[in-house]
Amino acid sequence: MAATAKNGAIAPAQFPPPVDAVAEFVAAPEAGEDERIEVGVAIVGGGPGGLAAANRLLQLLAEDPELLEQLGEVPVAIVEKGKVCGAHNLSGSVMKPGPLKELFPDFDPKANPAVYTEVEDDAGVWLRNDKKSLTLKPTPPNFANKGNWVISISQLCRWMADQAEEAGAYVLTETAAQKLLVDGEQVVGIVTGDKGRGKEGEELGTFEPGMEVHAKATVLAEGNWGHLTGTAVKRFNLAEGKQPPTWEIGAKEVWKVKKPFGKVVHTFGWPASPRKKDAMAGGGWIYPMGEDQVSIGYVVPLHTPDATVSVHDLLQTFKSHPYVKDVLEGGERVAWGAKAIQAGGLLSQPKLTVPGAVIVGEGAGMVDMARLKGVHLAIAAGKIAGEQIYQQLKAGSNDFSGYERAIEDSLVGKTLREVQSNRGLLDSHGLTVGAALSGLDFVTKGKLPPGKPTLHLDKEVAVAVPDKPISDLYPQPDGKYYFDKLSSVFITGNATRDDAPNHIRIEKRVPRQVAEAWKWMCPAGVYEIEDDQPKEGYVDVTVNYTNCVQCGAITARGGRLTPPEGGDGPAYQVV
């Protein structure tokens, strides 16, 4: 029987998913020379970190024809599960441009379709209730963004992939990295996922088996939920002595608007509860995307005890505030997406290297949650990874531990050290105290208050439907201004086959409280409680896995997302 708190709350962690990551997702090399793919460097993930690593490595190899020849016909391979690089990438996104300009000195933001606006004005806004707002003067320093760029991360990744391909990379899109290839105590590549299996795993007429991809170096740059990154952390015990990772989830819409909106705005307060016990230290944003578009979104932690917390519906509620309505009035929604966010930062960052492999980007907690930025850190880390791998391959070694030291001494390490306590302080207190303490932490660069907050796994937080749930605030969808989850998934271009195998692992019979938390949590409506299920006690959860936009939230909240067939999932264009 599940342990139940006094208010009837139950922790999802009591119902672990049927998965053994090390047993299922680690393999020893078996394929003969004619049955495997040999590459120099395998990069898992076509996001900003992986693509930065590929481009920097190829820049160095262009000046070293001898090493380039030694790496064979495919010196660099990028393995990306989306239809194209960028198809599964989503961010706000306001980016610090420095690392990108270092990697591409000739980058022209005015001529690149990924860059919409150079920020000229910014603001922090407190939404005091559902009607009132207060713009803070001056703008809080962590919300200062003048000189940064508003970008489309999906478009930026497409552009970076083009640069890598022109430089000699082999880009394997629609290809899932299913297993980590391990020989003894070193990573020697990956195994790609099968294609063309049916719902029960049977081979269809289009079946193609996965392949072993052998590499002298492997870069794990999978983004937030990191299927193979998580597997490597467990296999090599990389998180020893670290606090557990914590997660948040964001939902985003892009609107075509009638009037220009000229400033980057971050909000806090309503509709999230300000009370400590509700653990809802969330907030919203409004970013200009050129003259006639805006990005609007909302972020909330994934450890809220109220089972009805839904980031998608909180975003719809956020849009009902007069401050937001004034921006969107008369406009039209043109895009939507959702993604979980690694929020533990340096406190939960695992060891970044094992023999033969390095971890880059958000999968390694490289997100500045105080400033709400991670793209520039992923690019900076990818560049460092490319340089360190080049040096070690040149020396005939697969010991990449120098990458770890280089990260510590870089912009990435400096930033993460300064803000390592920031989000934990905000989450550990109510809005007023949490904002004050996290603000003090920010301006003193982590020196005050003393000590470090304690992080807890999101899935260990007990959940229940309270007497007055946050869902009472959610507006009814009208298909014009307020939208439901399924119509939102539709406009992502989600291409998952109806007869594809289920890639989501959960315990399907759980207490109603846990099922409700999963149902509300998911922005894509994947988890459903049928009408014939009891109102109390255990229920059967229906998994509509073809809706999945691979946000990763279920991995934080008690399940396990695994890679779907390559090419499945969303096809983000402008988010």
Side-chain angles (χ1 to χ4, degrees), residues 33-115:
E33 289 187 12
D34 295 337
E35 300 173 324
R36 67 193 190 210
I37 301 173
E38 295 275 2
V39 305
V41 179
I43 296 174
V44 182
L51 292 168
N55 276 286
R56 182 56 181 148
L57 181 56
L58 288 162
Q59 289 170 358
L60 295 168
L61 290 173
E63 303 297 323
D64 191 340
E66 182 179 352
L67 181 57
L68 180 64
E69 184 177 358
Q70 290 175 16
L71 294 181
E73 293 183 10
V74 183
V76 177
I78 300 165
V79 181
E80 167 54 44
K81 59 184 170 58
K83 281 194 172 296
V84 296
C85 291
H88 291 176
N89 291 91
L90 181 141
S91 181
S93 169
V94 177
M95 182 188 74
K96 286 180 173 289
L100 183 67
K101 291 196 289 188
E102 287 181 13
L103 183 61
F104 300 106
D106 296 329
F107 188 94
D108 182 1
K110 295 181 179 179
N112 194 292
V115 181

Side-chain angles (χ1 to χ4, degrees), residues 143-190:
F143 290 160
N145 278 286
K146 291 176 184 176
N148 293 331
W149 296 348
V150 179
I151 66 164
S152 161
I153 187 62
S154 55
Q155 288 297 318
L156 180 64
C157 290
R158 285 167 168 81
W159 181 85
M160 292 178 72
D162 288 344
Q163 306 312 300
E165 199 163 25
E166 288 177 12
Y170 184 37
V171 183
L172 282 161
T173 54
E174 300 188 62
T175 304
Q178 187 71 25
K179 297 182 180 182
L180 198 64
L181 209 53
V182 176
D183 187 5
E185 291 300 310
Q186 59 185 353
V187 174
V188 294
I190 63 159

Side-chain angles (χ1 to χ4, degrees), residues 277-305:
K277 70 175 185 177
D278 294 329
M280 285 184 63
W285 77 77
I286 310 172
Y287 301 157
M289 297 178 70
E291 292 295 315
D292 63 348
Q293 289 191 140
V294 296
S295 158
I296 178 172
Y298 206 82
V299 174
V300 70
L302 275 168
H303 48 255
T304 52

Side-chain angles (χ1 to χ4, degrees), residues 34-356:
D34 295 337
E35 300 173 324
R36 67 193 190 210
I37 301 173
E38 295 275 2
V39 305
V41 179
I43 296 174
V44 182
L51 292 168
N55 276 286
R56 182 56 181 148
L57 181 56
L58 288 162
Q59 289 170 358
L60 295 168
L61 290 173
E63 303 297 323
D64 191 340
E66 182 179 352
L67 181 57
L68 180 64
E69 184 177 358
Q70 290 175 16
L71 294 181
E73 293 183 10
V74 183
V76 177
I78 300 165
V79 181
E80 167 54 44
K81 59 184 170 58
K83 281 194 172 296
V84 296
C85 291
H88 291 176
N89 291 91
L90 181 141
S91 181
S93 169
V94 177
M95 182 188 74
K96 286 180 173 289
L100 183 67
K101 291 196 289 188
E102 287 181 13
L103 183 61
F104 300 106
D106 296 329
F107 188 94
D108 182 1
K110 295 181 179 179
N112 194 292
V115 181
Y116 287 92
T117 306
E118 182 170 338
V119 181
E120 297 180 354
D121 196 9
D122 49 42
V125 177
W126 174 25
L127 301 186
R128 299 172 61 186
N129 54 38
D130 62 346
K131 296 288 191 296
K132 296 181 179 180
S133 63
L134 177 66
T135 299
L136 304 184
K137 298 290 185 180
T139 299
N142 57 314
F143 290 160
N145 278 286
K146 291 176 184 176
N148 293 331
W149 296 348
V150 179
I151 66 164
S152 161
I153 187 62
S154 55
Q155 288 297 318
L156 180 64
C157 290
R158 285 167 168 81
W159 181 85
M160 292 178 72
D162 288 344
Q163 306 312 300
E165 199 163 25
E166 288 177 12
Y170 184 37
V171 183
L172 282 161
T173 54
E174 300 188 62
T175 304
Q178 187 71 25
K179 297 182 180 182
L180 198 64
L181 209 53
V182 176
D183 187 5
E185 291 300 310
Q186 59 185 353
V187 174
V188 294
I190 63 159
V191 182
T192 65
D194 295 342
K195 290 186 177 183
R197 288 192 180 275
K199 280 188 175 183
E200 305 303 321
E202 72 276 16
E203 296 180 9
L204 304 177
T206 56
F207 176 73
E208 298 176 16
M211 296 284 289
E212 289 186 13
V213 179
H214 289 227
K216 294 177 174 62
T218 300
V219 178
L220 299 178
E222 300 169 288
N224 61 346
W225 57 272
H227 168 65
L228 291 187
T229 302
T231 300
V233 168
K234 289 188 175 181
R235 168 61 178 80
F236 295 99
N237 198 24
L238 301 182
E240 184 178 13
K242 288 290 188 174
Q243 295 204 45
T246 61
W247 302 58
E248 304 192 357
I249 185 168
K252 171 181 178 176
E253 294 179 351
V254 176
W255 279 68
K256 195 173 184 66
V257 292
K258 294 290 187 181
K259 53 188 178 183
F261 184 75
K263 68 174 70 172
V264 163
V265 171
H266 290 99
T267 76
F268 61 96
W270 190 89
S273 167
R275 298 180 302 183
K276 175 183 176 180
K277 70 175 185 177
D278 294 329
M280 285 184 63
W285 77 77
I286 310 172
Y287 301 157
M289 297 178 70
E291 292 295 315
D292 63 348
Q293 289 191 140
V294 296
S295 158
I296 178 172
Y298 206 82
V299 174
V300 70
L302 275 168
H303 48 255
T304 52
D306 182 344
T308 72
V309 171
S310 161
V311 71
H312 172 83
D313 294 295
L314 281 168
L315 174 57
Q316 306 311 307
T317 309
F318 175 61
K319 285 157 50 181
S320 72
H321 196 282
Y323 186 94
V324 183
K325 271 195 165 183
D326 184 60
V327 177
L328 302 182
E329 187 175 14
E332 176 188 8
R333 187 179 74 159
V334 296
W336 173 93
K339 204 78 170 175
I341 307 163
Q342 283 252 20
L346 194 64
L347 294 180
S348 59
Q349 185 179 81
K351 188 173 182 292
L352 301 178
T353 65
V354 298

Side-chain angles (χ1 to χ4, degrees), residues 312 333 336-337 484-495 522-526 546-549 570-572:
H312 172 83
R333 187 179 74 159
W336 173 93
D484 63 17
K485 293 179 177 181
L486 294 186
S487 65
S488 300
V489 172
F490 180 78
I491 64 171
T492 68
N494 192 323
C522 179
V526 169
T546 57
N547 291 357
C548 181
V549 293
Y572 292 138

Side-chain angles (χ1 to χ4, degrees), residues 96 141-142 344-347 367-371 376-377 407-408 410-425 437-449 451-453:
K96 286 180 173 289
N142 57 314
L346 194 64
L347 294 180
V367 181
D368 177 351
M369 289 303 297
R371 296 179 180 87
H376 72 297
L377 297 180
I407 287 290
E408 290 177 4
S410 72
L411 167 73
V412 180
K414 178 177 181 292
T415 300
L416 294 180
R417 282 193 298 275
E418 290 180 356
V419 301
Q420 62 183 302
S421 297
N422 200 273
R423 191 65 199 186
L425 288 168
L437 290 176
S438 62
L440 177 64
D441 176 81
F442 186 84
V443 298
T444 63
K445 298 184 177 181
K447 295 181 176 65
L448 292 174
K452 298 288 184 290

